[in-house]
Amino acid sequence: MTQSASPWVEKLDDPLACDVATVLQHMGGSAHQDIVINCVAALKRQRGESVAQDLKAKIIEVFERYRDFFIRPFGEGSLRWALAPDVA
């Protein structure tokens, strides 16, 4: 899973947001929030990066900050996130 092949890398100025988008792309475009968090943590470990204890909070913050890229396909109460249709 390389970020350089991702079409949104130029649009997202946040490496964590790029990781989230990459995970969602590899999951078929959408996934449960907890799965995304676990996969981003695994990506970071693969690259030899440390995984902060506040990773979950940071990822939730990324989802909220980049609402043009990430949507909740089943509504605001859902924990499922997806790439926005024009991003995927």
Side-chain angles (χ1 to χ4, degrees):
M1 294 198 284
T2 60
Q3 290 180 0
S4 59
S6 303
W8 50 79
V9 171
E10 296 172 4
K11 297 176 185 174
L12 294 171
D13 60 351
D14 183 337
L16 186 56
C18 289
D19 284 349
V20 169
T22 299
V23 166
L24 286 172
Q25 180 190 39
H26 286 283
M27 300 297 279
S30 71
H32 188 279
Q33 176 176 293
D34 291 342
I35 293 172
V36 174
I37 293 164
N38 290 336
C39 289
V40 169
L43 255 181
K44 289 176 136 323
R45 286 188 197 100
Q46 272 186 328
R47 293 190 301 242
E49 299 174 20
S50 63
V51 176
Q53 285 197 298
D54 63 345
L55 181 64
K56 179 177 181 173
K58 287 182 178 181
I59 290 175
I60 292 169
E61 188 178 302
V62 161
F63 280 134
E64 295 297 338
R65 185 179 328 136
Y66 296 101
R67 291 305 289 259
D68 290 346
F69 291 90
F70 308 117
I71 61 169
R72 287 183 164 153
F74 299 127
E76 288 305 308
S78 173
L79 293 179
R80 187 166 201 72
W81 287 92
L83 291 169
D86 56 330
V87 174

